[in-house]
Each structure stands twice: as structure tokens, then as C-alpha cells.
Amino acid sequence: MAQHNDVVNNLYKSKDQFENSIWDQGWDEVIPGAAVYSFNSEIQAPVVTTLPEDRDVAETNSMNKYVGDWRVVKPVWNVDLCIDCQNCWIYCPDTSIISRDKEMVGIDYNHCKGCGICSDVCPTNPKSLVMFNEQISNEDALNQWPEKKKKGEK
């Protein structure tokens, strides 16, 4: 347990402060069960009322690293079908949905890992967020958009 606590406490130290910072460890060297927090401190206000760029994110948060090249599929947004329900913004684990004044304005592809949660929680028919192969341009994806499904279709 002491080793676990040492790892957790040292995750947040900069490269210069500790020789075994998370930046010096490989992906397979972090002890299983070690907590890697998204934020540096406890959130005082509801996180949904704080813009992503104003959040006190930890150095281990994907907001501080480019992770877009992990993706093999990406969400493509069809603005014409979007009802601005904000489900995608609420559920995105990487805060990759860009929303201002309760309206979706785009996707941060630098931090999106392509998990597909945004598409799964989209209630429109057809969905306004659909997952496409990473290699397909957004313009081509919009031209291949699925048709509206009839009741009972999957």
C-alpha cells in the first residue's frame, strides 16, 4: 500500500521534481489501481458550469496531451440534425465536445480518443453525431450520412 501511495503522490510532481514522475514511466509501469486524477483539486463549482479551458486539470489529464492519434474512428457532427441537447458534452470523458452558451460548436479532435460515447447518447434520428473511419474526411462523412430509421429499426 505504501508503494501505491508513493506513486499516487508523485504523479503530480513535475519532471524536474521527482525522478519517477509519470512522465518517466511507461504505460505498463504504472501500478494497477493507482489513481490518475483528472483535476488538481476538488471541484468547487459544478463542473458543467466551468468551461473546459478554465478547469484546473491535472498534468495527467488528456487535456494536456495530444491524444488524437490514438483514434481509429472519429465522431462527425452534422449541425443540421443537432438539437443542442448537450448529452454529448455532458458524457464525453475527454471534454472533446466544444459547447458555448448551451450550443454545440464543434469537436476537439486533438483530445478525442474516438470512444463513441457522444454518438451513443445522441437522441436524434438520424443521429447528429456518427462515428466514421478516421481516414474519411468530414465532408465525405456528411455525404454518407445515414437515413432516418423507421420505428423499430436498429
Side-chain angles (χ1 to χ4, degrees):
M1 187 66 168
Q3 185 183 15
H4 169 79
N5 289 337
D6 288 343
V7 170
V8 172
N9 291 333
N10 291 318
L11 286 176
Y12 301 105
K13 294 184 178 181
S14 72
K15 293 179 193 178
D16 301 330
Q17 292 176 315
F18 191 75
E19 61 186 293
N20 290 323
S21 166
I22 194 165
W23 306 117
D24 298 325
Q25 298 176 7
W27 66 269
D28 59 345
E29 295 175 307
V30 177
I31 295 172
V36 179
Y37 297 102
S38 293
F39 301 101
N40 283 324
S41 58
E42 190 173 320
I43 307 294
Q44 299 303 317
V47 74
V48 296
T49 62
T50 307
L51 294 176
E53 60 269 18
D54 294 332
R55 297 174 185 165
D56 184 23
V57 296
E59 69 173 320
T60 52
N61 189 301
S62 66
M63 287 298 293
N64 292 319
K65 300 288 176 219
Y66 174 81
V67 294
D69 55 359
W70 296 2
R71 236 184 1 258
V72 292
V73 292
K74 66 181 177 181
V76 177
W77 176 48
N78 188 330
V79 65
D80 296 330
L81 299 173
C82 184
I83 60 172
D84 290 314
C85 67
Q86 302 294 291
N87 284 353
C88 56
W89 181 75
I90 291 168
Y91 287 101
C92 177
D94 296 307
T95 60
S96 296
I97 302 298
I98 304 168
S99 179
R100 297 293 181 267
D101 299 320
K102 297 183 181 176
E103 289 185 5
M104 183 172 171
V105 295
I107 298 169
D108 177 359
Y109 286 115
N110 288 335
H111 297 105
C112 171
K113 294 184 189 90
C115 68
I117 292 173
C118 58
S119 179
D120 290 344
V121 299
C122 180
T124 62
N125 180 10
K127 291 186 177 284
S128 61
L129 280 161
V130 175
M131 301 304 287
F132 283 91
N133 185 298
E134 178 66 27
Q135 310 310 317
I136 295 175
S137 72
N138 286 7
E139 184 179 324
D140 288 343
L142 289 170
N143 290 329
Q144 300 173 27
W145 212 261
E147 296 292 321
K148 182 175 182 173
K149 293 181 182 177
K150 294 182 179 166
K151 250 186 175 171
E153 276 187 69
K154 289 205 176 208

